[in-house]
Amino acid sequence: MPQAGVDPVVLAAMCVVRLQTIVSREPAATTPAVLTVGSIRAGESPNVIPDTAVMELNVRTYDDATRKQVLDAVRRCVDAEAKASNAPREPLVERLNAFPPTVNDDEVADRVDRAFRDHFGDDAHTFGLQTASEDFSRIPEAFGAPFAYWGIGGVDPDTYRAAAERGTVAQDVPVNHSPSFAPVIQPTLDTGITALTVAALAWLGAEE
């Protein structure tokens, strides 16, 4: 008797579709933003309409203004879909956690960048904006200290070169949190230790 209730499964599905339009239609095309519905939980039986649905979203932006714009749009869209489905009450929206953007200090980043390029040569390069979720900046923020954040590769060099030659790095090279992500021990370990040492010496100083 579906006519006797409001189906939260259908409502959640409509929300997912509507939420996909936020990033593609609301921030400027040159403003990076990510909105992902990573989890939906509703019901336990195929012949019973459940009484609730739980959706979990992940939002990533590079500034507070865009973040507020996206979060406000999420609330507006979910509320509107609930009203369109004649839900008996407003959706409960909870913010579980949040991390500030990780923005390198220019002076620190420049000094470490020069040190890396002097030591690693062509193997050191600057990578662009990343949509990773990172809480590292909480540490220097707590101490009021400037910082620079860097990363190291962990993929077998031959695997990476082969994928680069095919133009399939995005598809064939596993990234963080991928089920196939498993950094090779070497040269990853040595590179990481060396990078930490080179960066420290760039600030502490060392005789040639």
Side-chain angles (χ1 to χ4, degrees):
M1 302 174 63
Q3 73 277 8
V6 175
D7 192 337
V9 176
V10 175
L11 173 51
M14 297 303 294
C15 286
V16 172
V17 173
R18 172 61 64 182
L19 292 172
Q20 301 311 303
T21 68
I22 293 176
V23 170
S24 66
R25 290 295 178 268
E26 301 209 18
T30 54
T31 302
V34 174
L35 191 160
T36 299
V37 179
S39 173
I40 299 179
R41 299 186 298 278
E44 297 180 358
S45 174
N47 67 331
V48 177
I49 294 176
D51 57 353
T52 60
V54 177
M55 302 170 56
E56 291 186 311
L57 282 64
N58 184 270
V59 173
R60 303 184 183 202
T61 64
Y62 291 104
D63 59 77
D64 292 335
T66 305
R67 185 172 192 80
K68 183 179 185 306
Q69 181 185 20
V70 172
L71 292 177
D72 287 349
V74 167
R75 180 81 218 209
R76 186 188 73 240
C77 291
V78 173
D79 282 348
E81 291 296 343
K83 289 177 181 177
S85 295
N86 199 29
R89 59 180 182 270
E90 293 184 352
L92 172 63
V93 178
E94 295 181 305
R95 186 171 175 175
L96 301 180
N97 53 55
F99 305 111
T102 298
V103 181
N104 288 339
D105 177 86
D106 289 339
E107 180 184 353
V108 177
D110 287 345
R111 183 181 295 194
V112 173
D113 179 66
R114 289 196 301 270
F116 281 171
R117 291 181 188 277
D118 288 344
H119 184 85
F120 294 108
D122 293 339
D123 288 333
H125 61 275
T126 301
F127 56 87
L129 292 174
Q130 302 292 306
T131 54
S133 179
E134 182 52 62
D135 60 357
F136 161 79
S137 56
R138 292 288 195 195
I139 300 171
E141 183 183 70
F143 290 96
F147 67 85
Y149 186 90
W150 71 80
I152 61 172
V155 178
D156 178 84
D158 292 336
T159 300
Y160 191 92
R161 276 192 292 269
E165 290 173 359
R166 294 191 303 270
T168 60
V169 170
Q171 295 81 25
D172 295 344
V173 175
V175 295
N176 291 9
H177 310 301
S178 159
S180 56
F181 179 67
V184 294
I185 298 300
Q186 293 295 357
T188 306
L189 187 60
D190 285 349
T191 301
I193 294 172
T194 301
L196 288 169
T197 304
V198 170
L201 291 175
W203 288 91
L204 298 176
E207 294 183 1
E208 293 293 337

